[in-house]
Amino acid sequence: MMNKVVFSFDDTKIKKLKNKRNILGGKGTNLAEMGKLGLPVPPGFIISTEVCEIFYKNKKKLPSKIIKDIEKELKNIEKKSSKIFGDLKNPLLISVRSGARISMPGMMDTILNLGLNDKTVEALSKKTSNGRFAKDSYRRFIQMYSNVVLGIGSHLFEELIENYKLTKGVLSDTELDESDWDGLIKNFKELIVRERKINFPQDVKEQLYGAISAVFLSWNSQRAKTYRKLNQIPDHWGTAVNVQTMVFGNMGEDCSTGVAFTRNPSTGEKAFFGEYLINAQGEDVVAGTRTPQHITKKAKNESGSKVLSMEEAMPKVYRQLKLIFVKLEKHYRDMQDIEFTVENNKLWMLQTRSGKRTAKAAIKIAVDMVKEKLISKKEAILRIDPNTLETLLHPTLDEKVDKKIIASGLPASPGAASGKVVFSAEEAEKLNGMMEDTILVRVETSPEDIHGMHAAKGILTSRGGMTSHAAVVARGMGRPCVSGSGDINIDYETKQFKAGNEIVKEGEIITIDGGSGKVMLGTVPTVKPEISGYFSTIMKWADQFRKLKVRTNAETAKDTKIAREFGAEGIGLCRTEHMFFDEERILSVRQMILSKSISDRNIALEKLMPHQKNDFKEIFKTMHGLPVTVRLLDPPLHEFLPKSEKDVEEVARSLNLGAKEIRDRIAELHEQNPMLGHRGCRLGISFPEIYEMQCRAIFEALVECKKEKSKSAIAEIMIPLVSTDLELKILRDLVNRVAKDVQIKNKLKIEYIVGTMIELPRAALQAKAISKYADFFSFGTNDLTQTTLGISRDDSGKFLNDYVDHKIFNKDPFVSIDEDGVGELVEIASNRGRKQNKKLKLGICGEHGGDPKSIEFCSKLGLNYVSCSPFRVPVARLAAAQAQLRR
């Protein structure tokens, strides 16, 4: 006995379903719910996500039992709408749409006006006394069905329409009459025969099952797979299919269709935001084939548009819509994204879902909704995607600089970006692979472009509104976007676009500002962002709930300052080698490395010492009473050696040696596998004088801070790449010896602790023995991932994607911690270390310290802190609060 898998929107069994969304998909669940709230929803039914799985197991065919259920529900709709499917007097027309459990805007297929054929189109024409409308609906159906089910490119049909309009001398589709559409329908059918060697199907049942199958198949389309991969949506979820009675926005001037948000999805302002088109179908608004009008009078006036807003053109329907917006927001307790149609002045609701929004809007909406008592502080924190916060901390255009503005469009997704112009998603992806910034320029983006939109720094389209595919996807990805820029004319053939008198070719640089909709020639400098009061409020709330401390990885005064401003509670990783690459110092570093004798080496170290001391002093002062973990020299020495002839000669002169001697010494130091070579604590064992100089610099910096009465940081000295307890014992003794020496000399007590970085599997397994000599463990998960998986981070780009595609890894293990392997080693080391040493402090300082999923794992293990790059600090603060709340 099979479970019930087909449900009408008003089915009483829906109420009893557990996890409705997983079975009915988001769209179906919300349609049923809107019906229950008494809103006007056209009758329809849902084919559940379970059928998607059955369909794929059944060789991509619908089983006869399910076909029977569908036909039963179809009879139901016929009864409710008093129309009959395929009838020659009063035909029922339906739409077939996808509905995954999480909204995937534009990623899967939709077919409207299904049930039209050469005969029913005449019946529709008679019934509505509107031949133009009937033929317009038929040509749309042929176009969509051919694209979705028969796989014929939509542009081929668009070209036929454009050419026809040119011949007739008209600009807009709405200027074509019934006989024009008749001619085009004939051309469309000929195109289908030419492309697919079949006639357009006239049997309405064949149309229906073709459409349902196509929606299930679109779950596995390339664009849907890419979207799922980018948003970590599991492949096995599948999609539901919604079959619904058609209502028409294209029957004349008392009809319209629109998309609206209950608040502004770009800024979060509490004001209705949306667009509509008179005499059109929903796809026209979303696909951006016509540039739509504003819903509210206020928005119309602000944009300087002369065309009437919906509030002015359809005041009665607008008032009704306004009440529905308020009702839906109260019910769902979130900002809603709504699709509606008006047929002969009657309003119908076609969809509601939680709206995609920018990071800035998400924060404002969450804080406002707490003030409005719609949601709690906890819910507000859980609603914001930590990964999107970084977009708020990034630059906007410098107002003071002269800009050459060549075009403007709609400000669809905020932020500023400069890059080379590319006209295809593939080119954007290719250049991104070569570390080049690009701006993807398209007439309108389609879901096929998703990989290029992700690779580009920004998106510019010449058609489409604020609710078009480009706008919605860009906002979700945090990419700046300017849409519907009618000022630009794009020519894909010659790979250039024209804006007024300017011609911009592929590869030339432009800047777009998604906040103002402006397009500029060349690169425009940017300025540091202003952090809003709403942002600070959310951060304050997050700090109330989180247990995990958040530190930063920084070794310059500038980075330290930024991290403090973003709320860092200390430094979890200060890499001392970064201080060596300064031009003034690199020569002394090279002298130190290339010296043959200890006395020569000490002379070079003496020169480096004051520089290191000043660096530490700056950082300790900025970190004002907070912990700073200083990692002693870690990379292999050859990284500092001269590469060019000129540099070799300079070092030779400074050491009074011949260039050949220097080259021989460089060859001597060469390593086959430096990553596992003479580095980290191994350098400290071989050349203790290097670590002695670094410790002296640290302790003297602390002494100077004390003498100047400035509140200094608490130094935590970290020994890298330890794999045995003895390495740590020997080097801890060295640190203590230098500390004692400095304290006696200055008659001052210095506060410091010594710990190690756990970045080798053996160290994790030997944590009990190692923790005898450690006050803290910091997990260096970048290297721990490399040494555990035996994968070099620098070379993994060539094959890691294949591993993710084959589900060997769910995600790149250098981005999100591999919980089963690397994670288990972290857990083992934490447990064994703390068993031996109850006071052992535990933290993580790899890139994973800024990844929300990894932070949740650290919180679960009970680590004391995570450390990440300065711009990720707010991300980590929010993710740590969410991890705590989810526990």
XYZ file of all heavy atoms in Angstrom, residues 47 55 60-62 67 70 85 94 96-97 109-111 114 141 144-151 200-201 203-218 241 243:
354
model
N 1.860 17.263 -6.247
C 2.424 15.902 -6.405
C 3.693 15.921 -5.548
O 4.610 16.708 -5.793
C 2.749 15.622 -7.884
C 1.488 15.809 -8.747
C 3.316 14.229 -8.065
C 1.757 15.864 -10.249
N 9.770 8.505 -9.511
C 9.935 8.810 -10.938
C 11.334 8.397 -11.407
O 11.502 7.727 -12.414
C 9.706 10.318 -11.140
C 10.019 10.833 -12.519
C 9.089 10.709 -13.551
C 11.228 11.472 -12.789
C 9.373 11.211 -14.823
C 11.516 11.969 -14.052
C 10.586 11.837 -15.069
N 12.481 7.121 -14.992
C 12.011 8.465 -15.358
C 10.638 8.437 -16.023
O 10.388 9.140 -17.006
C 13.051 9.181 -16.229
C 14.384 9.363 -15.518
C 15.391 10.107 -16.350
C 16.758 10.088 -15.644
N 17.824 10.570 -16.471
N 9.757 7.573 -15.488
C 8.367 7.525 -15.965
C 7.443 7.591 -14.756
O 7.800 7.159 -13.669
C 8.119 6.215 -16.729
C 8.758 6.183 -18.114
C 8.268 4.985 -18.915
C 8.881 4.936 -20.289
N 10.350 4.731 -20.267
N 6.221 8.101 -14.969
C 5.234 8.145 -13.884
C 4.481 6.821 -13.838
O 3.923 6.399 -14.858
C 4.234 9.277 -14.126
C 4.771 10.701 -13.961
C 3.796 11.703 -14.563
C 5.027 11.029 -12.493
N -0.635 8.170 -11.927
C -1.417 8.831 -12.991
C -2.900 8.826 -12.612
O -3.594 9.828 -12.776
C -1.146 8.161 -14.362
C 0.276 8.533 -14.809
C -2.181 8.586 -15.407
C 0.736 7.957 -16.118
N -3.531 11.492 -10.061
C -3.482 12.829 -10.681
C -4.815 13.107 -11.383
O -5.383 14.195 -11.255
C -2.289 12.932 -11.671
C -0.969 12.907 -10.886
C -2.390 14.189 -12.541
C 0.287 12.782 -11.727
N -10.995 20.069 -18.543
C -9.681 19.977 -19.196
C -9.867 19.462 -20.626
O -10.442 18.392 -20.837
C -8.807 19.022 -18.372
C -7.340 19.077 -18.699
C -6.681 20.301 -18.857
C -6.586 17.902 -18.823
C -5.312 20.351 -19.135
C -5.229 17.939 -19.097
C -4.592 19.176 -19.260
N -4.205 25.047 -17.036
C -3.477 24.886 -15.765
C -2.017 25.318 -15.895
O -1.470 25.401 -16.996
C -3.545 23.417 -15.253
C -3.104 22.449 -16.342
C -4.900 23.074 -14.728
C -3.182 20.996 -15.957
N 1.897 24.319 -14.390
C 2.650 23.229 -13.748
C 3.972 23.831 -13.273
O 4.746 24.353 -14.070
C 2.906 22.083 -14.751
C 3.742 20.988 -14.108
C 1.581 21.513 -15.239
N 4.183 23.783 -11.936
C 5.378 24.441 -11.368
C 6.104 23.521 -10.397
O 5.477 22.676 -9.770
C 4.968 25.689 -10.578
C 4.395 26.801 -11.411
C 4.149 28.007 -10.518
N 4.118 29.222 -11.297
C 3.069 30.035 -11.339
N 1.997 29.767 -10.644
N 3.118 31.133 -12.055
N 11.803 24.284 -13.552
C 10.955 24.736 -14.646
C 9.499 24.974 -14.282
O 8.962 24.387 -13.351
C 11.051 23.724 -15.797
C 12.431 23.766 -16.431
O 12.962 24.878 -16.540
O 12.986 22.711 -16.776
N 8.879 25.851 -15.077
C 7.479 26.237 -14.930
C 6.839 26.226 -16.308
O 7.477 26.652 -17.269
C 7.403 27.685 -14.374
O 7.890 27.680 -13.048
C 5.980 28.221 -14.386
N 5.582 25.765 -16.390
C 4.848 25.858 -17.662
C 3.471 26.434 -17.378
O 2.765 25.965 -16.479
C 4.725 24.470 -18.336
C 6.128 23.984 -18.724
C 3.836 24.545 -19.579
C 6.181 22.590 -19.209
N -1.202 25.511 -19.808
C -1.244 24.145 -20.317
C -2.708 23.714 -20.521
O -3.568 24.029 -19.697
C -0.527 23.217 -19.338
C -0.239 21.817 -19.862
C 1.153 21.364 -19.430
C -1.240 20.784 -19.410
N 2.406 29.374 -24.345
C 2.432 27.968 -23.953
C 3.352 27.181 -24.882
O 4.192 26.392 -24.435
C 1.007 27.397 -23.969
C 0.963 25.899 -23.793
C 1.632 25.299 -22.732
C 0.282 25.078 -24.694
C 1.618 23.905 -22.566
C 0.273 23.705 -24.533
C 0.941 23.106 -23.469
N 6.996 28.015 -23.991
C 7.464 27.438 -22.726
C 7.562 25.930 -22.802
O 8.531 25.338 -22.339
C 6.495 27.797 -21.597
C 6.660 29.180 -21.068
S 5.450 29.412 -19.755
C 6.461 30.154 -18.535
N 6.543 25.310 -23.367
C 6.509 23.851 -23.449
C 7.679 23.367 -24.311
O 8.370 22.394 -23.973
C 5.170 23.385 -24.038
C 4.936 21.890 -23.896
C 4.270 21.387 -22.784
C 5.407 20.979 -24.846
C 4.064 20.019 -22.629
C 5.211 19.615 -24.708
C 4.533 19.141 -23.599
O 4.335 17.782 -23.446
N 7.916 24.075 -25.422
C 8.997 23.661 -26.331
C 10.350 23.795 -25.648
O 11.233 22.957 -25.828
C 8.989 24.527 -27.598
O 7.724 24.443 -28.197
N 10.488 24.840 -24.834
C 11.756 25.041 -24.145
C 11.931 23.999 -23.044
O 12.938 23.288 -22.973
C 11.776 26.461 -23.562
C 13.061 26.747 -22.816
O 13.970 25.937 -22.769
N 13.151 27.904 -22.220
N 10.901 23.852 -22.195
C 11.035 23.020 -20.997
C 10.958 21.528 -21.318
O 11.755 20.737 -20.837
C 9.942 23.420 -19.978
C 9.885 22.448 -18.830
C 10.189 24.836 -19.476
N 9.985 21.156 -22.151
C 9.772 19.721 -22.386
C 10.553 19.223 -23.599
O 11.139 18.146 -23.581
C 8.258 19.417 -22.551
C 8.022 17.927 -22.718
C 7.491 19.950 -21.340
N 10.596 20.038 -24.646
C 11.243 19.569 -25.887
C 12.693 20.050 -25.996
O 13.402 19.649 -26.908
C 10.430 20.035 -27.114
C 8.925 19.670 -27.095
C 8.214 20.255 -28.308
C 8.724 18.143 -27.056
N 13.101 20.932 -25.065
C 14.509 21.354 -25.039
C 14.922 22.249 -26.186
O 16.065 22.199 -26.649
N 3.869 19.729 -32.670
C 3.558 20.162 -31.307
C 2.366 19.353 -30.784
O 1.350 19.232 -31.465
C 3.227 21.662 -31.289
C 3.043 22.181 -29.893
C 4.143 22.392 -29.071
C 1.775 22.422 -29.374
C 3.981 22.846 -27.763
C 1.610 22.866 -28.071
C 2.724 23.074 -27.266
N 2.475 18.733 -29.580
C 1.417 17.817 -29.111
C 0.061 18.522 -28.917
O -0.001 19.582 -28.297
C 1.950 17.295 -27.773
C 3.036 18.233 -27.377
C 3.576 18.828 -28.607
N -2.698 16.605 -27.791
C -3.429 15.874 -26.748
C -3.097 16.501 -25.382
O -1.942 16.505 -24.954
C -2.996 14.396 -26.801
C -3.622 13.576 -25.678
O -4.243 14.170 -24.773
O -3.478 12.339 -25.696
N -4.156 17.034 -24.689
C -3.888 17.782 -23.456
C -3.307 16.902 -22.341
O -2.524 17.363 -21.518
C -5.152 18.537 -22.947
C -5.526 19.646 -23.915
C -6.315 17.609 -22.711
N -3.682 15.604 -22.320
C -3.124 14.696 -21.287
C -1.625 14.485 -21.544
O -0.812 14.454 -20.620
C -3.864 13.346 -21.300
C -5.324 13.429 -20.833
C -5.441 13.181 -19.329
C -6.854 13.385 -18.816
N -7.743 12.258 -19.083
N -1.280 14.313 -22.824
C 0.143 14.139 -23.177
C 0.922 15.391 -22.740
O 2.021 15.306 -22.196
C 0.267 13.938 -24.695
C 1.712 13.696 -25.146
C 1.882 13.781 -26.671
O 0.914 13.493 -27.414
O 2.993 14.141 -27.105
N 0.308 16.567 -22.961
C 0.937 17.828 -22.529
C 1.181 17.812 -21.014
O 2.267 18.142 -20.528
C 0.028 19.024 -22.859
C -0.132 19.327 -24.337
C -1.160 20.442 -24.568
O -1.733 20.982 -23.623
N -1.391 20.786 -25.821
N 0.161 17.388 -20.256
C 0.241 17.416 -18.791
C 1.351 16.506 -18.286
O 2.191 16.914 -17.479
C -1.104 17.004 -18.176
C -1.116 16.887 -16.647
C -0.799 18.220 -15.976
C -2.473 16.378 -16.142
N 1.391 15.239 -18.790
C 2.406 14.310 -18.264
C 3.805 14.682 -18.745
O 4.787 14.480 -18.038
C 2.018 12.857 -18.570
C 0.706 12.522 -17.874
C -0.424 12.091 -18.581
C 0.578 12.725 -16.493
C -1.629 11.862 -17.930
C -0.623 12.501 -15.838
C -1.719 12.076 -16.560
O -2.917 11.860 -15.916
N 3.869 15.280 -19.932
C 5.167 15.780 -20.425
C 5.695 16.859 -19.502
O 6.874 16.900 -19.146
N 4.776 17.756 -19.077
C 5.183 18.883 -18.227
C 5.595 18.408 -16.831
O 6.612 18.849 -16.284
C 4.038 19.885 -18.122
N 4.804 17.502 -16.247
C 5.131 17.006 -14.892
C 6.496 16.311 -14.922
O 7.359 16.551 -14.060
C 4.031 16.040 -14.380
C 2.723 16.822 -14.138
C 4.471 15.338 -13.097
C 1.500 15.948 -13.870
N 6.721 15.479 -15.933
C 8.019 14.785 -16.048
C 9.155 15.785 -16.195
O 10.219 15.629 -15.592
C 8.020 13.839 -17.256
O 6.975 12.902 -17.128
N 8.910 16.840 -17.014
C 9.974 17.832 -17.236
C 10.348 18.542 -15.934
O 11.518 18.840 -15.688
C 9.529 18.854 -18.273
N 9.356 18.814 -15.073
C 9.671 19.479 -13.799
C 10.533 18.556 -12.928
O 11.533 18.981 -12.347
C 8.388 19.919 -13.049
C 8.734 20.407 -11.642
C 7.676 21.029 -13.816
N 10.161 17.277 -12.874
C 10.992 16.333 -12.106
C 12.408 16.258 -12.696
O 13.391 16.222 -11.971
C 10.352 14.935 -12.081
C 9.184 14.815 -11.131
C 8.039 14.106 -11.479
C 9.227 15.406 -9.873
C 6.962 13.996 -10.602
C 8.161 15.302 -8.979
C 7.027 14.597 -9.346
N 12.492 16.243 -14.026
C 13.806 16.159 -14.674
C 14.632 17.420 -14.392
O 15.853 17.357 -14.291
C 13.666 15.971 -16.191
C 13.150 14.589 -16.634
C 12.800 14.590 -18.109
C 14.186 13.493 -16.346
N 13.953 18.562 -14.239
C 14.702 19.805 -14.030
C 15.385 19.835 -12.658
O 16.279 20.634 -12.418
C 13.814 21.038 -14.230
O 12.908 21.203 -13.154
N 5.662 18.870 -7.370
C 5.117 19.571 -8.536
C 3.750 20.122 -8.148
O 2.933 19.421 -7.536
C 4.970 18.615 -9.752
C 4.335 19.347 -10.934
C 6.324 18.048 -10.152
N 0.219 21.665 -9.517
C -0.648 21.837 -10.689
C -1.798 22.733 -10.236
O -2.465 22.432 -9.241
C -1.173 20.472 -11.191
C -2.124 20.664 -12.375
C -0.002 19.566 -11.577
